Amino acid sequence: MPHLLIKDLPRYECLIEAAKEFPDLDPSSTEAYLHVLHAGDELAGVAERSLARFSMSQGRFGVLMLLWKGGDSPSERTQCGCAPAPRTPAELAEAAGVTRATMTGLVDTLERDGLVKREPDPDDRRMMSVRLTPKAEKFMEQYLPGHFKLISGLMAPLTETERRTLVRLLGKIQDHIPAGTDAAAPFPATA
Amino acid sequence: MPHLLIKDLPRYECLIEAAKEFPDLDPSSTEAYLHVLHAGDELAGVAERSLARFSMSQGRFGVLMLLWKGGDSPSERTQCGCAPAPRTPAELAEAAGVTRATMTGLVDTLERDGLVKREPDPDDRRMMSVRLTPKAEKFMEQYLPGHFKLISGLMAPLTETERRTLVRLLGKIQDHIPAGTDAAAPFPATA
DNA sequence: TAAGATTGAATCCTCAATCTTT
DNA sequence: AAAGATTGAGGATTCAATCTTA
């Protein structure tokens, strides 16, 4: 599940050493890259272990969050000026950034556990509508306050200003990440 | 594969709005938390798509990196003063932070693809020794320069100073992450 | 044809046995 | 016993079909 299969990051001196053999290796870039991935893994790990006690996974929890407080009518489905909350498996997959097949699987286990319910769309019989059950509403009401407290605790080592700086720096990276699969090839795939 | 099942992060105003309903939600903490996870997902996604063109996964690549340039004799296995490179499945699992069962699976597919070779330990017949094959050495020599270039490009939007700041801020978070599973429970698991 | 949802085969990962050797 | 490695069952994920409806 972690992005990085390394528990202990290499020391900066090791990166400098490795750069002698690989001129393309930029130590400060590599260090920053490894730290972002590692921090993400660690934070996700904490959240994951917290969720695991309720037999909940990050993926299934994410679907619950997407469905949470979405309202029923289209007018209710817009939260504070944002896009309407997703309802169908296709919308959920799009919003979550996973394939429809993955969403089918997630909704399967959520439905099996009584947390969501599939209902056929009355207008278009190809579509399904996914809704939270009262059991899921109750779970979210009980779980979320502690979840937010956990996040606050994780970020407590940073001051408000440092958090803003962190978000700004990460934003600069994300704004320049090539979308989709068009990342430059390390070497020709036909080699 | 992503840690976060949300493609578009909520806007800050939405977090402030949500905080009215959940007093435990601290907007700046939540924003920073979501950004770290999201940035990690995006960066890992780029690396993953780059590796995928060679039928390589982050997990298997991580094993290759762990094994890379480890040398044969114990004296060679220490790289620039760091811990000796792992050799057995148990050591690899420990260094990678995954279970031994996971490492067995990764080594299985790497061996099937001719990238590593298992050899029984002559001293202790319970143990195996895992080594890179010449095919894997060649792959790494061809792949790594482009890999490091890719990372440099991803971090290019940041100045050297900004990278140091980013690493410092992430380090402050990581230093205070509770180890293992002892994260505070959001609410009693027995509820 | 095309779109929504699902299924089947495959990889990656975990936990809880199991098997072998110490 | 205890340690190293593996196996088996199951969840999460993807891709490439497949099925139904528009």
Side-chain angles (χ1 to χ4, degrees):
Chain A
M1 165 352 109
H3 288 318
L4 221 48
L5 218 61
I6 297 179
K7 224 179 48 180
D8 301 304
L9 261 31
R11 294 180 308 158
Y12 198 73
E13 303 90 78
C14 295
L15 294 177
I16 291 173
E17 193 65 28
K20 289 177 187 165
E21 188 175 353
F22 294 95
D24 296 303
L25 191 163
D26 176 59
S28 80
S29 292
T30 305
E31 185 190 33
Y33 169 84
L34 292 175
H35 268 76
V36 173
L37 262 59
H38 196 246
D41 284 344
E42 297 258 6
L43 292 180
V46 172
E48 196 134 294
R49 288 190 289 275
S50 165
L51 286 164
R53 287 195 314 273
F54 308 99
S55 307
M56 184 60 62
S57 70
Q58 283 267 39
R60 304 225 305 286
F61 180 65
V63 177
L64 260 28
M65 286 295 276
L66 252 14
L67 254 15
W68 174 246
K69 287 287 175 189
D72 290 337
S73 66
S75 62
E76 282 178 288
R77 287 172 50 196
T78 298
Q79 298 161 322
C80 66
C82 300
R87 278 284 162 261
T88 71
E91 287 169 357
L92 287 166
E94 162 66 19
V98 298
T99 64
R100 292 182 184 181
T102 298
M103 193 50 65
T104 295
L106 290 171
V107 172
D108 277 350
T109 65
L110 285 170
E111 188 166 39
R112 179 205 59 192
D113 294 347
L115 294 167
V116 306
K117 202 168 171 312
R118 280 181 171 98
E119 284 163 1
D121 184 298
D123 295 335
D124 187 333
R125 274 180 298 174
R126 287 175 304 183
M127 283 195 268
M128 302 296 278
S129 195
V130 183
R131 313 241 251 133
L132 294 185
T133 62
K135 180 179 177 184
E137 305 266 9
K138 193 177 159 199
F139 168 75
M140 293 299 264
E141 277 157 28
Q142 283 199 280
Y143 184 76
L144 285 180
H147 180 69
F148 294 134
K149 239 179 253 174
L150 183 63
I151 290 173
S152 301
L154 290 169
M155 294 300 136
L158 300 186
T159 66
E160 189 94 10
T161 303
E162 288 175 324
R163 286 176 210 155
R164 257 200 305 278
T165 301
L166 179 59
V167 168
R168 183 175 58 80
L169 297 180
L170 291 174
K172 284 180 81 165
I173 297 173
Q174 284 167 248
D175 288 345
H176 293 86
I177 287 182
T181 60
D182 58 338
F187 61 96
T190 54
Chain B
M1 127 50 66
H3 288 319
L4 220 48
L5 217 62
I6 298 180
K7 224 178 46 177
D8 301 303
L9 261 32
R11 294 179 308 157
Y12 199 71
E13 304 89 75
C14 294
L15 294 177
I16 292 173
E17 193 65 28
K20 290 178 186 165
E21 189 175 354
F22 294 95
D24 296 302
L25 190 163
D26 177 58
S28 81
S29 293
T30 304
E31 185 191 33
Y33 170 84
L34 291 174
H35 268 78
V36 173
L37 262 59
H38 196 246
D41 285 343
E42 297 258 6
L43 292 180
V46 172
E48 196 133 294
R49 286 190 291 274
S50 165
L51 287 164
R53 285 196 314 274
F54 308 99
S55 307
M56 185 60 62
S57 71
Q58 283 269 38
R60 302 224 305 285
F61 181 65
V63 176
L64 260 28
M65 286 295 276
L66 251 15
L67 254 14
W68 174 246
K69 287 287 174 190
D72 290 338
S73 66
S75 62
E76 281 179 289
R77 288 172 49 197
T78 296
Q79 299 161 321
C80 68
C82 300
R87 278 283 162 262
T88 71
E91 287 169 357
L92 287 166
E94 163 65 20
V98 298
T99 64
R100 292 182 183 183
T102 297
M103 192 49 66
T104 295
L106 290 171
V107 172
D108 277 350
T109 65
L110 284 171
E111 189 166 38
R112 179 204 58 193
D113 294 347
L115 294 166
V116 305
K117 201 169 172 314
R118 280 181 171 96
E119 283 163 3
D121 184 297
D123 296 334
D124 188 334
R125 274 181 297 174
R126 287 175 302 182
M127 282 195 272
M128 302 297 278
S129 194
V130 183
R131 312 240 252 133
L132 293 186
T133 62
K135 180 178 177 183
E137 305 266 8
K138 194 177 159 198
F139 169 75
M140 293 299 263
E141 278 158 28
Q142 282 198 281
Y143 184 77
L144 285 181
H147 180 69
F148 294 133
K149 239 177 254 174
L150 183 63
I151 291 174
S152 301
L154 290 169
M155 294 300 137
L158 300 187
T159 66
E160 189 94 11
T161 304
E162 288 175 323
R163 286 176 210 156
R164 258 200 305 276
T165 302
L166 179 58
V167 169
R168 183 175 57 82
L169 296 181
L170 291 173
K172 285 180 81 164
I173 297 173
Q174 283 166 247
D175 288 345
H176 292 87
I177 286 181
T181 60
D182 59 336
F187 61 95
T190 54

